[in-house]
């Protein structure tokens, strides 16, 4: 006879048996869970002896070990580089000895933890595919010997980007973990030099790694205050919903200032400069966190990415006038010394930049976002500052204002990233706005500090919160890589969207001469800038900025470029050879940008003797010019046959067209010679040319019009005391010249002013008198037609040689 189960024979104990069974199940599940977690992780730090690794990454890996080692994981840390084993081991030993524990760790315990970490860390040389295969076999042997399960491998690329492809190939072919284990690859910036190179690098890496395996590191996203921007906006939705828009925000400032110069990094800086080093990545990422629409779930990396991409799509395109550039005056000497450049070398690389950004959507339309960074400045500080409009008017004097009530006090939210007067990360909210909500477990109110002022107000005017425990950005990001948190990293889509935005501006600024500044407190107001509309400009306009040319003698011929203002527009002045070279460079840069954006470049050229040197320069020194996509038009023409030596087209043909390969159907001479007649009204030559312009040039807006200025103030073939072509709707007109040949055809002034850019070239001592006169007159095109040249929405730049400008 089979005995009945005991819980049936003793029903009064059934509940006990159920509890016991449940406890056993829970214990079994816990054991299984612990077994599942007990995985082995290999961390391979490539470039382990480099500066970044020594300063931050080994400390971050040690922090990872402290945080995770007691949770069922086992670790080994492999430092790798190209240096010999003996040298590498010596460097790593010194680095590991210098590691620090959290402040609340007892010294004896810290020494014990450091010893454990050192026992798990090794150095090895990784160079060939065989080296990577040997590493993989060593990892597999270790896991098998210790009776572990391999959970995954982390490769941290702290190496130059040119090495990425070879390393990625070796990892993919020889060092991937086996089935069931993950691979994670951390990549340090820079991620390309422009959109094209970033796309190429992304394609190369994408052939070896999946998107989910790549973690592009922007260490600013690991800074505690930056990481708090989205959670802050989320936790304070109720208060911010009515404030976070163009109706209430006056402007947004995103700032990173440094006191150090580029010494020791000039090789990197010569290739990248401050915009690529800081603005294109760190500050742009912060911009999107502030400006993006807030997703319902800010913890969803996919939702955050999609909203960031929407913010990128709303960014208004940048123009050359959107930025101001500066260069620490000792920088060129540093470059000459570190890179063994000749004595006459002068760098155009900016070490300071301010950029004005606008966002074309309903939330932010018209709100200026100012991005600024520089080296050798007066202080080290980084912050994001949202300033709100203040339309209150308080009757009582300021001494009676109550900080948390008066509407007349400045209203702002500041994400204080670090350093500066405060010295630590913080979130600041004006007391007259609202009391913010932050997670109390990780953020605490800042203790009062009498006498400390931030942004013009005492600290007591703010609700101020700082992290309970300050953490290094790299430690945070390494932890996020381990936990597969993708929201703190740059995806391929995110990266390429940023380069699409920045590349046109970088191209347009490639040949700009930055303003020199002495550094530190001596900068004074030299780098202050102001914005109006879409443009930025330095507040102080020096009369001239001289850039030394080749040679050591301090003679006038040693100065290449003088920059100032002429008729409230930019002026570039130099000796003739340098001036023509500068103008040719600018035309090429404009052409490249236009072809990249629109697929074609429409250039209208004026006649006369001055442009001949320019044509020769373009023909012989600009092999990268996109001639195949360039349309050439004439700004004016003499009414003579096209083969006549006095024909403007003949000059263009002789000095430029016969030397470059422009498709014949892209060349548009003015139809001054129709039916064997010259400029006959009834032949409608002007109307024919106008119709051709309307058909081929979008909005009849040339990308660039090159003009001259006559000794009587005429430009193109628009002459004083003649109303023809100075106003009205005609695009092309017939005019009368006071000089032979008397009949002319010319673009009208309204058509010229539709151009995206107008360049006026003025050369020779004979132009000195008219240059002085025109500098003083207002808008009087009937007396001086050149005074009517002012593009409606484009840019006017004057190119004037020293004889015309200085006499």
């Amino acid at each position: 006879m089979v005995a009945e189960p005991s819980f049936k024979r003793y029903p009064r104990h059934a509940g006990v048996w159920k509890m016991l069974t449940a406890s056993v199940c829970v214990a079994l599940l816990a054991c299984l869970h612990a077994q599942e977690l007990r995985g082995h992780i290999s961390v391979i730090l490539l470039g382990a002896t480099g500066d970044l690794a020594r300063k931050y990454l080994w400390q971050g890996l040690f922090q990872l070990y402290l945080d995770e080692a007691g949770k069922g994981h086992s670790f080994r840390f492999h430092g790798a580089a190209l240096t010999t084993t003996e040298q590498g081991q010596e460097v790593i030993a010194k680095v590991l000895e210098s590691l620090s524990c959290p402040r609340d760790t007892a010294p004896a315990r810290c020494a014990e933890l450091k010893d454990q970490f050192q026992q798990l860390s090794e150095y090895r040389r990784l160079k060939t595919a065989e080296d990577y295969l040997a590493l993989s076999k060593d990892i597999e042997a270790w896991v098998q010997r210790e009776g572990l399960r391999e959970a995954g491998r982390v490769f941290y690329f702290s190496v130059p980007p040119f090495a990425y492809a070879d390393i990625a190939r070796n990892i993919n072919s020889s060092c991937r973990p086996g089935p069931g284990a993950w691979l994670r690859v951390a990549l340090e910036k820079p991620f390309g030099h422009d959109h094209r190179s970033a796309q190429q690098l992304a394609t190369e890496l994408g052939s070896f790694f999946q998107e989910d395996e790549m973690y592009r590191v922007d260490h600013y996203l690991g800074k505690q205050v930056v990481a708090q921007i989205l959670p802050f906006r989320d936790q304070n939705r109720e208060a911010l919903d009515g404030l976070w828009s163009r109706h209430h925000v006056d402007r947004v400032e995103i700032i990173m200032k440094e006191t150090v110069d580029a010494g020791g990094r000039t090789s990197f800086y010569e290739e990248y400069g401050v915009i690529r080093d800081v603005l294109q990545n760190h500050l742009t990422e912060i911009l999107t966190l502030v400006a993006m629409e807030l997703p319902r779930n800010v913890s969803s990396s996919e939702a955050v990415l999609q909203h960031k991409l929407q913010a990128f799509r709303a960014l208004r395109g940048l123009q050359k006038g959107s930025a101001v550039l500066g260069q620490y005056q000792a920088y060129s000497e540093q470059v000459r010394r570190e890179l063994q450049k000749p004595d006459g070398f002068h760098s155009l690389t900016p070490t300071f930049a301010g950029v004005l950004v606008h966002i074309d959507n309903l939330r932010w339309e018209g709100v200026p976002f100012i991005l600024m960074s520089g080296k050798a400045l007066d202080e080290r500080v980084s912050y994001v500052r949202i300033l709100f409009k203040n339309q209150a008017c308080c009757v009582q004097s300021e001494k009676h204002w109550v900080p948390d009530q008066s509407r007349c006090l400045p209203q702002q939210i500041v994400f204080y990233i670090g350093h500066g007067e405060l010295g630590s990360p913080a979130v600041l909210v004006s007391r007259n706005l609202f009391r913010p909500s932050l997670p109390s477990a990780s953020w605490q109110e800042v203790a009062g500090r009498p006498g400390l002022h931030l942004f013009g107000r005492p600290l007591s005017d703010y609700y101020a919160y700082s992290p309970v425990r300050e953490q290094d950005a790299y430690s945070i990001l390494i932890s996020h890589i381990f936990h597969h948190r993708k929201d703190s990293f740059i995806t391929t889509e995110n990266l390429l969207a940023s380069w699409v935005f920045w590349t046109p501006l970088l191209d347009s600024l490639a040949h700009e001469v930055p303003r020199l500044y002495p550094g530190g407190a001596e900068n004074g107001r030299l780098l202050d800038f102001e914005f109006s509309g879409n443009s930025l400009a330095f507040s102080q306009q020096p009369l001239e900025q001289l850039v030394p040319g080749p040679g050591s003698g301090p003679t006038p011929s040693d100065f290449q470029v003088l920059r100032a203002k002429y008729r409230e527009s930019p002026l570039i002045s130099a000796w003739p050879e340098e001036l023509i070279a500068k103008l040719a460079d600018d035309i090429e840069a404009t052409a490249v940008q236009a072809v990249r954006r629109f697929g074609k470049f429409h250039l209208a050229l004026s006649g006369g003797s001055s442009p001949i040197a320019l044509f020769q320069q373009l023909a012989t020194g600009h092999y990268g010019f996109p001639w195949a996509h360039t349309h050439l038009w004439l700004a004016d023409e003499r009414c003579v046959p096209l083969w006549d030596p006095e024909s403007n087209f003949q000059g263009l043909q002789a000095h430029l067209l016969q030397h470059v390969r422009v498709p014949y159907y892209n060349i548009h001479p003015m139809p001054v010679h129709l039916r064997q007649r010259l400029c006959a009204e009834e032949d409608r030559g002007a109307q024919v040319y106008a119709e051709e312009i309307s058909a081929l040039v979008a909005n009849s807006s040339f990308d660039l019009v090159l003009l001259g200025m006559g000794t009587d103030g005429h430009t193109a073939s628009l002459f004083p005391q003649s109303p023809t072509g100075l106003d009205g709707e005609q695009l092309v007109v017939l005019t009368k010249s006071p000089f032979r040949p008397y009949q002319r055809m010319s673009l009208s002034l309204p058509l010229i002013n539709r151009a995206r850019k107008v360049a006026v070239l003025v050369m020779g001592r004979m132009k000195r008198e008219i240059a002085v006169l025109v500098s003083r007159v207002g808008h009087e095109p009937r007396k001086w037609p050149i005074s009517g040249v002012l593009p409606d929405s484009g840019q006017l730049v004057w190119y004037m040689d020293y004889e015309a400008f200085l006499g």
Side-chain angles (χ1 to χ4, degrees):
M1 226 176 131
V2 180
E4 292 182 359
S6 59
F7 65 82
K8 286 191 176 181
R9 291 173 60 191
Y10 305 101
R12 66 180 178 277
H13 297 300
V16 175
W17 277 103
K18 287 181 181 178
M19 290 175 63
L20 182 60
T21 303
S23 299
V24 169
C25 290
V26 169
L28 285 170
L29 286 171
C31 290
L32 289 170
H33 187 56
Q35 186 177 358
E36 180 186 348
L37 286 178
R38 186 162 172 70
H40 179 74
I41 292 99
S42 304
V43 181
I44 301 94
L45 175 54
L46 300 151
T49 59
D51 190 55
L52 179 66
R54 286 184 281 119
K55 285 183 177 178
Y56 299 107
L57 299 181
W58 279 110
Q59 181 65 47
L61 295 179
F62 181 46
Q63 187 63 50
L64 176 71
Y65 175 72
L66 297 180
D67 293 340
E68 304 296 339
K71 299 179 181 177
H73 308 289
S74 71
F75 290 89
R76 283 194 81 197
F77 300 92
H78 307 267
L82 299 179
T83 53
T84 64
T85 302
E86 184 179 348
Q87 290 174 319
Q89 287 174 339
E90 185 178 338
V91 172
I92 298 305
K94 290 181 180 178
V95 174
L96 297 184
E97 188 58 40
S98 67
L99 297 175
S100 60
C101 299
R103 292 179 182 176
D104 56 355
T105 307
R109 176 59 177 160
C110 181
E112 180 185 352
L113 292 168
K114 285 175 63 174
D115 184 62
Q116 293 173 4
F117 183 73
Q118 289 169 3
Q119 295 297 319
L120 296 172
S121 302
E122 65 155 15
Y123 174 82
R124 65 193 302 148
R125 193 179 193 196
L126 282 184
K127 187 173 183 180
T128 65
E130 290 75 21
D131 293 336
Y132 284 85
L133 183 60
L135 170 62
S136 188
K137 288 181 177 179
D138 286 353
I139 293 172
E140 291 166 3
W142 171 277
V143 169
Q144 188 173 7
R145 186 169 61 250
E146 298 294 319
L148 303 170
R149 176 187 64 82
E150 184 172 15
R153 300 177 188 179
V154 176
F155 285 86
Y156 200 113
F157 286 44
S158 181
V159 296
F162 65 75
Y164 283 5
D166 286 341
I167 295 173
R169 184 181 296 104
N170 287 330
I171 293 172
N172 187 55
S173 64
S174 308
C175 210
R176 273 188 173 272
W182 45 256
L183 172 68
R184 292 171 194 162
V185 177
L187 303 159
E188 275 287 339
K189 78 173 184 73
F191 311 120
H193 186 266
D194 53 18
H195 180 254
R196 180 181 176 185
S197 58
Q199 177 71 72
Q200 182 178 351
L201 181 59
T203 301
E204 286 180 344
L205 292 172
S207 66
F208 303 117
F209 304 130
Q210 299 173 23
E211 180 68 27
D212 194 52
E213 294 174 330
M214 290 187 283
Y215 294 73
R216 290 184 184 85
V217 175
D218 182 332
H219 78 275
Y220 253 59
L221 293 181
K223 290 187 177 288
Q224 289 171 286
V225 168
V226 176
Q228 187 61 29
I229 292 175
L230 283 185
F232 177 88
R233 291 180 58 191
D234 183 47
Q235 292 155 16
N236 295 278
R237 281 182 192 255
E238 186 175 345
L240 289 176
D241 274 351
L243 293 174
W244 211 255
S245 74
R246 60 190 170 93
H247 300 296
H248 299 281
V249 175
D250 182 67
R251 71 175 186 267
V252 178
E253 299 173 357
I254 305 174
I255 308 297
M256 177 184 169
K257 298 170 67 177
E258 297 182 274
T259 54
V260 298
D261 57 32
R265 295 186 71 212
T266 56
S267 177
F268 170 84
Y269 240 72
E270 273 301 276
E271 186 173 357
Y272 291 94
V274 69
I275 294 180
R276 290 180 175 92
D277 183 36
V278 178
L279 279 75
Q280 179 272 327
N281 37 73
H282 304 329
L283 303 194
T284 302
E285 286 302 307
I286 294 172
L287 167 69
T288 59
L289 294 175
V290 172
M292 63 184 268
E293 294 299 312
L294 201 59
R296 290 186 178 180
N297 180 11
V298 296
S299 300
S300 167
S301 58
E302 293 81 7
V304 169
L305 171 62
Q306 292 308 312
H307 284 71
K308 285 175 76 173
L309 293 175
Q310 289 175 11
F312 272 117
R313 286 191 285 269
L315 293 176
R316 184 184 302 171
L318 297 174
Q319 303 171 351
K320 187 184 291 188
S322 303
V324 290
L325 303 179
Q327 184 191 93
Y328 175 48
Q329 66 183 19
Y331 174 77
S332 284
E333 173 56 34
Q334 292 174 333
V335 175
R336 290 193 287 269
R337 184 174 63 252
E338 294 181 15
L339 304 183
Q340 286 80 54
K341 296 287 187 180
D343 290 342
F345 174 81
H346 188 90
S347 173
L348 294 181
T349 300
T351 60
F352 168 88
V355 177
L356 175 63
V357 177
H358 282 96
I359 302 174
D360 291 328
N361 60 24
L362 287 176
R363 181 179 294 277
W364 296 113
E365 182 184 3
V367 177
F369 284 72
I370 300 163
L371 279 57
M372 186 269 280
S373 182
K375 290 187 172 295
L377 301 181
D378 62 320
E379 63 175 336
R380 183 187 183 191
V381 68
S382 301
Y383 58 84
V384 187
R385 187 180 178 210
I386 297 96
L387 288 89
F388 294 91
K389 297 175 181 177
N390 194 341
Q391 297 170 333
C393 182
C394 298
V395 175
Q396 285 188 299
S397 63
E398 185 177 354
K399 63 184 178 183
H400 295 115
W401 294 352
V402 181
D404 58 351
Q405 295 178 4
S406 175
R407 306 303 294 175
C408 285
L409 285 169
Q411 298 174 336
Q412 51 194 321
I413 296 174
V414 182
F415 297 100
Y416 201 91
I417 299 168
H419 306 292
E421 290 289 324
L422 193 56
S424 62
V427 176
L428 311 172
V429 179
S430 293
R431 288 181 177 271
N432 57 349
L433 271 175
F434 62 91
R435 176 182 280 276
S437 172
L438 284 94
S440 58
S442 53
W443 291 81
Q444 61 187 1
E445 286 207 56
V446 176
R449 291 170 60 180
L452 176 61
H453 282 65
L454 296 171
F455 308 105
R457 303 303 306 172
L459 184 61
S460 58
D461 274 11
Y462 302 94
Y463 295 111
Y465 296 82
S466 64
V468 172
R469 174 190 168 202
E470 283 191 43
Q471 293 177 275
D472 172 68
Y474 281 101
S475 297
I476 292 172
L477 292 175
I478 288 171
S479 175
H480 287 185
I481 293 168
F482 175 76
H483 288 288
H484 193 44
R485 283 187 53 182
K486 295 282 286 184
D487 52 311
S488 301
F489 300 91
I490 310 300
T491 66
T492 299
E493 280 187 289
N494 190 158
L495 172 69
L496 296 180
S498 178
W499 277 120
V500 164
F501 176 64
W502 283 102
T503 297
L505 177 69
L506 289 164
D507 288 345
S508 72
L509 295 174
H511 303 291
E512 284 293 294
V513 179
R515 169 175 290 193
L516 298 179
Y517 59 93
E522 294 180 21
N523 293 334
R525 296 188 59 244
L526 189 63
L527 295 178
D528 290 355
F529 54 85
E530 301 170 357
F531 56 89
S532 176
N534 291 331
S535 298
L536 278 184
F538 285 117
S539 301
Q540 289 187 352
Q541 283 294 339
L543 292 178
E544 57 189 27
Q545 177 174 328
L546 298 175
V547 179
S552 56
T555 63
S557 61
D558 282 331
F559 296 102
Q560 289 185 341
V561 178
L562 181 153
R563 306 176 69 79
K565 287 278 188 178
Y566 182 81
R567 291 185 57 81
E568 301 303 316
S569 293
L571 166 69
I572 295 172
S573 190
W575 297 107
E577 185 176 344
E578 287 82 13
L579 183 68
I580 291 297
K582 170 64 174 168
L583 176 54
D585 286 343
D586 289 353
I587 292 174
E588 180 177 8
T590 305
V592 170
Q593 183 179 8
V595 171
R596 181 178 287 116
R597 294 183 63 188
F598 309 115
K600 61 188 71 173
F601 173 54
H602 288 280
L603 171 63
L605 298 166
S606 192
S609 59
S610 295
I612 291 176
L614 172 67
F615 297 161
Q616 293 169 342
Q617 176 78 18
L618 289 171
T620 58
H622 290 263
Y623 301 109
F625 200 103
W627 292 116
H629 304 284
T630 297
H631 286 256
L632 290 172
W633 305 80
L634 289 178
D636 68 317
E637 181 60 283
R638 296 175 171 95
C639 292
V640 297
L642 295 184
W643 57 84
D644 191 292
E646 289 195 331
S647 165
N648 290 341
F649 179 78
Q650 180 59 30
L652 180 64
Q653 170 72 24
H655 299 291
L656 179 64
L657 294 181
Q658 68 175 350
H659 304 291
V660 298
R661 303 183 68 175
V662 181
Y664 75 92
Y665 44 80
N666 283 6
I667 301 169
H668 309 280
M670 279 186 158
V672 294
H673 197 192
L674 297 175
R675 300 177 186 175
Q676 304 300 312
R677 295 184 294 193
L678 293 170
C679 296
E681 288 274 5
E682 55 270 27
D683 290 340
R684 301 183 69 254
Q687 292 89 331
V688 169
Y689 206 54
E691 290 166 4
E692 190 175 2
I693 292 170
S694 298
L696 297 177
V697 182
N699 301 318
S700 300
S701 298
F702 291 106
D703 296 300
L704 192 149
V705 176
L706 176 67
L707 299 175
M709 178 171 69
T711 55
D712 60 351
H714 83 265
T715 189
S717 284
L718 304 173
F719 296 96
Q721 312 303 329
S722 173
T724 309
L726 300 179
D727 51 27
E729 298 183 2
Q730 281 186 276
L731 301 183
V732 184
V733 294
L734 294 176
T735 65
K736 298 287 186 182
S737 166
F739 322 106
R740 289 181 178 273
Y742 300 118
Q743 288 184 299
R744 307 286 178 95
M745 185 179 290
S746 179
L747 303 185
S748 69
L749 190 57
L751 177 58
I752 290 169
N753 284 335
R754 289 191 193 181
R756 292 186 174 88
K757 181 174 181 177
V758 176
V760 182
L761 176 62
V762 186
M763 298 179 69
R765 189 179 299 272
M766 291 179 62
K767 303 290 178 70
R768 168 63 178 158
E769 187 176 337
I770 188 64
V772 171
L773 176 63
V774 169
S775 70
R776 299 169 179 165
V777 304
H779 182 82
E780 298 184 66
R782 290 182 181 273
K783 292 183 179 179
W784 301 281
I786 190 67
S787 72
V789 176
L790 188 62
D792 302 327
S793 57
Q795 183 186 30
L796 171 62
V797 181
W798 295 81
Y799 294 81
M800 202 174 295
D801 74 355
Y802 287 150
E803 289 195 330
F805 184 54
L806 301 174

